[in-house]
């Protein structure tokens, strides 16, 4: 699958251990919280790793560990990277 | 140390939360401010004279997640930037998170103030295989850049030299043409009509267009007439960007930071996560998180409730005070002071020594010492922010998110300071609910220790009933408050700082600092409280109050009528009242002990805490809270008296 045709998925659906890149922050997220996420380093095309999904989504962006409630994570659109975790 | 602007040249430490600004502040000034391994420890600006230059004052500012400022603590930092006679900014960044650090640099650089960039926690970056080309970064930014490890004192001397050579940074980016046109227009207006003595008009324009209310207020205060034109340009720019202006400005800064970071950063491939990352993930794990939490709570209970409140209190109260000091003092006073009333004032039932000092030193001191130590270990380890993840679902039931657990846990140390810390919460609604719950159902360390000491002596069941009652009341009251107070719940997004081995020196220093603050506040209040009790007793008012309170205290709560005295003491400080009940523990049944502790825990918070509530929420709101809390405490205590007699 070429990157151009790769679907964006909600972050909340991505299994722990997967590496992804940010596709977009959904408009459903509060504008201030979108700014907050950008400040934490979540910018389009930036890579990060999903560490866990329960009880909250926890990601590792660069060296920042972020915990996100599912209500936010389901509106963060990501693309899965074809990486070592994909069998 | 003060928080007021002064005429002296100011060197401002600015940066993201939890990057080590306060440790650097301590290294550069010798002044100690509370330092912890979680964001939001500093919520006010702190000032002290720089060790390396007595003509300059150094300011430790609250961490900013991003600028333009949004939260109260970010506004406090922005106000410091606006109001201080800034000679230099020292941006403290996290060496392992260079992209994020440079995103803030991209904005600070526009302010036109000489800067230094200190990449702190260099050791953690190295451990993670992150290497920054410092020389190249310094060249690109045009300012001194250096690495530090503030906790270990590394890089402090080079930093003081760098401060002397601070320079205005090069801009990291030119925004898109339409944004640049707006910035230029607004900057020209600011430069012409309300120029800042130190900050560049361009930087202020970017902040203003980004919606920084502190900057808007400052501009308005300088020239109200200019504001109309500025607002007009702001509206045009916002409309053209369909409300996305602040985000677009932030995105472009982030992209510029990305490009620069990529050119100076190299990252070694790591084969496995660090142990600190493994532990950090385990404590928020859906399966292991809860057993680890229970283990931590049990360890704290054993250390504070058993070792502190039983073993140490036994040694100090029974062996030292009751066995040696009090008889010696009584003997001394009886022999050398001929006036019986003075003897009684010093060593009687409500004696300044036998009650005031004994309560403060023999009963409270060992408890708060062990609590502050345990709390310091948890703070330094980075465990507390992970509690926000575990507690989030529970807190969502009361209209809050897990972030509110931080002030709540801090409240177990001191409700007064925790009330101030509610500034880390993002909405006024979250703050008012949290302050109310702190005042109602969160016992401070002294009170918690007394409760654990007293009920621990009854049985573990008694401790459990009290704890479940507090959690239940907290949840029920929070649920009602969330329904009554308008506004919506904000979902949690939070950073989890790395787990670290606590540094013993820092924990001891913190424990010592808190104990000093506590004793300075507590001993005078305990002595004043004891004197009031003595005066009430001698004037006949106390027996009258005890008689008057009998229907409530004995009839409704089922306590001995003498317990009224403890509630009178509780008006001064809840823990003073709790200690009063602790002192009569031998004459209470298990049910009376539980009911007494539930009632006094819910009782009116201490005077200092009340003043902080007034400061943070205003007199009207604070009095409304107290007006609810006092009758509610007695109401709930009575209900438990009835319920426990039915089932226990």
């Amino acid at each position: 699958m070429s990157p151009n045709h790769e679907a964006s998925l909600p972050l909340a659906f991505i299994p722990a251990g997967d590496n992804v890149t940010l596709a977009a922050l959904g408009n459903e997220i509060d504008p201030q919280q979108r700014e907050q996420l950008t400040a934490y380093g979540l910018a389009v095309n930036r890579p990060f790793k999903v560490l866990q999904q329960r009880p909250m989504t926890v990601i590792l962006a660069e060296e920042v560990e972020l915990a996100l409630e599912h209500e936010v994570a389901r509106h963060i659109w990501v693309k899965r990277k074809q990486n070592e975790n994909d069998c | 140390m003060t928080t007021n602007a002064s005429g002296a040249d100011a060197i401002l430490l600015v940066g993201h939360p939890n990057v080590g600004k306060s440790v650097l502040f301590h290294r550069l000034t010798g002044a100690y401010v509370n330092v912890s391994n979680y964001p939001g420890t500093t919520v006010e600006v702190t000032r002290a004279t720089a060790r390396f230059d007595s003509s300059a004052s150094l300011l430790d500012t609250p961490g900013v997640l991003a600028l333009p400022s949004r939260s109260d603590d970010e506004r406090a930092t922005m106000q410091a930037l606006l109001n201080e006679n800034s000679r230099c900014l020292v941006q403290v960044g996290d060496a392992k998170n260079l992209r994020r650090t440079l995103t803030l640099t991209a904005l600070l650089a526009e302010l036109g103030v000489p800067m230094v960039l200190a990449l702190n926690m260099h050791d953690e970056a190295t451990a993670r295989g992150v290497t920054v080309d410092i020389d190249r970064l310094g060249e690109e930014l045009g300012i001194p850049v250096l690495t530090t490890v503030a906790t270990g004192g590394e890089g402090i001397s080079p930093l003081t030299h760098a401060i002397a050579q601070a320079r205005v940074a090069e801009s990291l980016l030119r925004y898109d043409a339409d944004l640049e046109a707006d910035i230029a227009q607004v900057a020209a207006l600011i430069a012409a009509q309300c120029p800042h003595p130190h900050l560049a008009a361009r930087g202020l324009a970017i902040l203003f267009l980004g919606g920084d209310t502190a900057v808007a207020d400052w501009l308005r205060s300088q020239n109200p007439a200019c504001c109309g034109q500025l607002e007009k340009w702001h509206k045009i720019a916002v409309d053209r960007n369909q409300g996305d202006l602040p985000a677009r400005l932030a995105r472009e800064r982030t992209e510029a930071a990305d490009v620069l970071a990529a050119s100076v950063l190299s990252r070694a491939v790591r084969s496995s996560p660090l142990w600190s990352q493994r532990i950090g993930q385990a404590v928020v794990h859906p399966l292991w998180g809860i057993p680890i939490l229970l283990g931590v709570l049990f360890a704290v209970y054993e250390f504070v409730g058993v070792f502190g409140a039983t073993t140490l209190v036994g040694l100090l109260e029974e062996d030292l005070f009751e066995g040696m000091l009090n008889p010696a003092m009584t003997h001394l006073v009886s022999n050398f002071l001929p006036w019986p009333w003075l003897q009684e004032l010093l060593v009687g039932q409500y004696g300044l020594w036998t009650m005031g000092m004994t309560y403060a030193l023999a009963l409270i001191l060992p408890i708060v010492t062990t609590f502050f130590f345990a709390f310091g270990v948890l703070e330094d380890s980075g465990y507390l922010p992970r509690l926000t993840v575990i507690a989030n679902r529970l807190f969502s039931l009361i209209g809050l998110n897990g972030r509110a657990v931080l002030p709540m846990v801090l409240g177990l140390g001191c409700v007064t300071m925790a009330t101030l810390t509610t500034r880390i919460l993002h909405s006024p609604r979250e703050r008012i609910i949290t302050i109310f719950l702190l005042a109602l159902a969160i016992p401070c360390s002294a009170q918690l220790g007394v409760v654990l000491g007293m009920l621990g002596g009854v049985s573990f069941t008694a401790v459990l009933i009290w704890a479940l009652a507090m959690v239940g009341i907290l949840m029920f009251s929070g649920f009602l408050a969330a329904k009554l107070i308008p506004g919506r719940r904000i979902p949690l997004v939070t950073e989890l700082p790395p787990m670290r081995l606590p540094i013993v020196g820092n924990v001891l220093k913190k424990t010592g600092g808190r104990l000093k603050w506590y004793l300075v506040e507590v001993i005078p209040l305990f002595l004043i409280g004891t004197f009031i009790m003595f005066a009430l007793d001698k004037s006949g008012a106390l027996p009258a109050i005890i008689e008057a309170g009998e229907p409530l205290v004995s009839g409704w709560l089922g306590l001995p009528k003498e317990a009224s005295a403890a509630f009178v003491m509780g008006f001064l400080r809840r823990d003073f009242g709790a200690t009063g009940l602790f002192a009569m523990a031998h004459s209470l049944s298990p049910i009376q002990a539980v009911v007494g502790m539930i009632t006094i825990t819910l009782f009116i918070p201490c005077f200092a805490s009340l003043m902080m509530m007034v400061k943070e929420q205003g007199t009207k709101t604070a009095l409304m809270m107290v007006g609810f809390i006092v009758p509610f405490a007695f109401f709930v205590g009575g209900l438990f008296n009835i319920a426990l007699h039915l089932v226990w």
Side-chain angles (χ1 to χ4, degrees):
Chain A
M1 200 190 301
S2 91
N4 290 338
H5 294 94
E6 211 174 308
S8 293
L9 299 167
L11 172 60
F13 294 179
I14 306 294
D18 274 17
N19 289 296
V20 294
T21 55
L22 182 72
L25 298 175
N27 289 332
E28 298 84 350
I29 303 172
D30 177 80
Q32 276 202 21
Q33 211 146 34
R34 278 210 302 271
E35 276 186 54
Q36 194 187 352
L37 290 167
T38 307
Y40 278 129
L42 290 193
V44 173
N45 290 329
R46 270 202 189 171
F48 57 89
K49 183 174 184 176
V50 181
L51 297 179
Q52 67 183 63
Q53 286 288 8
R54 299 273 168 230
M56 285 174 68
T57 304
V58 180
I59 60 168
L60 184 66
E62 202 173 31
E63 295 294 338
V64 182
E65 252 182 72
L66 277 184
L68 312 153
E69 214 169 287
H70 283 181
E71 193 181 329
V72 177
R74 75 167 69 102
H75 299 300
I76 295 177
W77 298 93
V78 298
K79 292 179 189 250
R80 294 175 78 173
K81 286 173 82 176
Q82 301 299 309
N83 58 21
E84 65 275 15
N85 295 306
D86 292 339
C87 299
Chain B
M1 282 183 284
T2 72
T3 55
N4 300 320
S6 77
D9 283 356
I11 299 167
L12 276 71
L13 296 181
V14 290
H16 288 112
N18 207 40
V19 293
K21 292 181 294 300
S22 297
V23 190
L24 267 182
F25 179 78
H26 170 61
R27 294 276 178 197
L28 293 169
T29 63
Y32 184 75
V33 285
N34 209 8
V35 175
S36 303
N37 182 14
Y38 56 88
T41 314
T42 309
V43 290
E44 287 187 323
V45 174
T46 311
R47 177 196 307 271
T49 303
R51 265 176 175 163
F52 53 90
D53 181 354
S54 57
S55 69
S57 55
L58 203 77
L59 271 72
D60 181 25
T61 63
V64 289
L65 181 55
L67 290 176
S69 61
R70 298 285 182 252
S71 61
D72 283 353
D73 42 357
E74 287 171 354
R75 266 188 286 277
T77 297
M78 197 62 238
Q79 279 158 358
L81 285 164
L82 287 163
N83 298 324
E84 292 294 333
N85 185 16
S86 308
R87 180 207 295 183
C88 167
L89 301 184
V90 177
Q91 186 193 346
V92 186
D94 181 351
K96 62 187 181 297
N97 292 312
L98 188 65
R99 289 169 200 269
R100 199 175 151 202
T101 300
L102 292 177
T103 306
L104 185 59
T105 313
L107 202 141
L108 294 175
E110 303 285 8
L111 293 175
V113 179
M115 275 181 71
V116 171
L117 174 59
L119 293 176
N120 194 32
M121 301 192 276
H122 178 56
D123 51 340
E124 290 187 0
T126 307
R128 287 165 168 77
V130 176
T131 311
V132 181
D133 185 340
I134 296 295
D135 294 337
R136 179 150 180 222
L137 182 59
E139 276 174 35
E140 298 291 350
L141 292 172
I143 58 172
V145 178
L146 69 161
T147 57
T148 54
V149 182
T151 49
E154 289 175 31
I156 303 304
S157 176
L159 176 59
T160 57
H161 288 114
I163 289 171
Q165 289 155 15
R167 290 194 295 275
V168 175
E170 301 283 346
S171 287
L172 266 72
L173 75 155
R174 288 275 135 193
Y175 293 86
D176 285 346
D178 59 322
L179 291 176
E180 279 293 338
D182 291 328
I183 292 167
Q185 192 69 41
V186 172
L189 263 172
I190 291 173
Q193 298 193 33
C194 38
H196 192 279
H198 307 290
L199 304 183
R202 177 177 164 84
L204 292 177
I206 295 168
L207 287 162
F208 177 75
L209 287 168
D212 193 310
T213 51
V215 171
D217 290 345
W218 185 86
L219 292 169
R220 198 172 296 119
S221 70
Q222 298 302 302
N223 185 350
C226 159
C227 250
Q229 291 168 280
L230 286 172
E231 290 296 345
K232 193 183 89 184
W233 274 105
H234 186 238
K235 187 172 183 320
I236 292 169
V238 167
D239 290 347
R240 189 176 339 101
N241 286 278
Q242 296 168 332
D244 198 34
L245 180 61
R248 202 174 148 209
L249 289 163
R251 265 200 309 273
E252 295 200 11
R253 281 194 293 274
T254 306
E255 284 165 16
D258 266 357
V259 173
L260 179 55
S263 69
V264 296
L265 196 67
S266 59
R267 196 180 289 269
V269 177
R270 263 205 332 263
S271 54
S272 60
L274 299 172
W275 68 266
S276 57
Q277 288 173 311
R278 288 176 195 270
I279 294 175
Q281 285 164 25
V283 299
V284 292
H285 190 272
L287 189 63
W288 302 114
I290 299 295
I292 291 173
L293 172 64
L294 293 176
V296 168
L297 290 177
F298 182 71
V300 171
Y301 168 76
E302 282 291 315
F303 187 62
V304 181
V306 178
F307 176 65
T310 310
T311 312
L312 291 183
V313 167
L315 282 173
L316 279 172
E317 195 209 7
E318 289 167 23
D319 298 351
L320 185 64
F321 272 76
E322 296 297 337
M324 295 162 67
L325 294 180
N326 289 1
M329 186 63 97
T330 306
H331 180 72
L332 201 72
V333 167
S334 311
N335 283 344
F336 289 95
L337 294 174
W339 305 283
W341 67 268
L342 190 56
Q343 290 176 3
E344 209 169 332
L345 174 63
L346 291 173
V347 293
Q349 187 189 359
Y350 298 109
L352 295 177
W353 177 265
T354 41
M355 186 185 201
M357 293 303 280
T358 306
Y359 277 17
L361 298 179
L363 289 174
I364 301 286
L365 186 65
I367 294 168
V368 292
T369 305
T370 46
F371 181 85
F372 286 154
F373 186 83
F375 196 71
V377 169
L378 288 179
E379 276 187 322
D380 260 28
S381 69
Y383 182 68
L384 293 185
R386 282 168 170 77
L387 268 183
T388 61
V389 174
I390 299 168
N392 189 53
R393 184 165 289 180
L394 194 66
F395 276 63
S396 70
L397 300 174
I398 55 175
L400 298 172
N401 67 44
R403 202 171 168 82
V405 82
L406 285 176
M408 299 269 188
V409 173
L410 286 172
L412 296 175
C414 170
V415 172
T416 311
M417 294 313 290
T419 304
L420 185 66
T421 313
T422 56
R423 291 182 185 188
I424 65 169
L425 302 177
H426 292 300
S427 73
R429 177 175 178 273
E430 287 175 308
R431 291 187 63 195
I432 197 168
I433 294 175
T434 309
I435 289 174
F436 167 67
L437 294 177
L438 277 169
L440 176 70
I442 302 293
C444 70
S445 54
Q447 199 186 5
L448 183 66
V450 172
V451 170
L452 292 179
M454 182 163 167
L455 297 184
V458 174
S459 67
F460 183 70
T461 312
V463 177
L464 199 64
I465 292 171
W466 172 86
L468 290 175
M470 285 305 116
V471 172
I473 291 161
L474 186 91
M475 297 305 294
F476 178 70
S477 315
F479 178 78
L480 287 184
K483 293 280 173 210
L484 290 172
I485 298 169
R488 66 179 189 86
R489 177 181 172 275
I490 297 174
L492 179 65
V493 172
T494 190
E495 183 182 351
L496 303 175
M499 294 288 286
R500 296 181 184 126
L501 259 183
I503 299 168
V504 178
N506 189 30
V507 174
L508 289 176
K509 218 179 264 181
K510 223 171 357 184
T511 306
R514 284 178 168 151
L515 277 179
K516 187 179 159 196
W517 173 80
Y518 187 80
L519 288 175
V520 165
E521 187 192 295
V522 156
I523 291 183
L525 276 176
F526 271 39
L527 292 178
I528 292 168
T530 308
F531 181 76
I532 291 170
M533 296 300 291
F534 174 81
L536 287 174
D537 188 40
K538 287 290 137 196
S539 66
L542 190 61
I545 291 170
I546 290 172
E547 286 303 317
E550 196 176 353
L552 183 64
V553 173
S554 301
W556 176 242
L557 295 179
L559 299 174
K561 64 178 183 179
E562 292 74 22
S564 293
F567 290 105
V568 175
M569 289 150 68
F571 271 104
L572 195 66
R573 283 188 65 99
R574 273 196 300 204
D575 52 328
F576 193 36
T579 317
L581 286 174
F582 192 16
M584 55 188 290
H586 58 279
S587 61
L588 297 179
S589 70
I591 291 179
Q592 286 176 322
V594 173
V595 169
M597 284 296 127
I598 288 174
T599 313
I600 202 82
T601 306
L602 297 175
F603 205 53
I604 188 172
C606 73
F607 188 70
S609 165
L610 184 62
M611 288 297 104
M612 188 61 82
M613 284 162 66
V614 169
K615 183 182 170 204
E616 294 297 304
Q617 293 291 329
T619 310
K620 190 179 159 196
T621 308
L623 290 179
M624 277 171 66
M625 286 184 187
V626 173
F628 173 81
I629 287 169
V630 174
F632 183 73
F634 284 104
F635 175 69
V636 172
L639 289 184
F640 269 90
N641 177 37
I642 295 166
L644 290 176
H645 273 103
L646 290 175
V647 297
W648 201 5

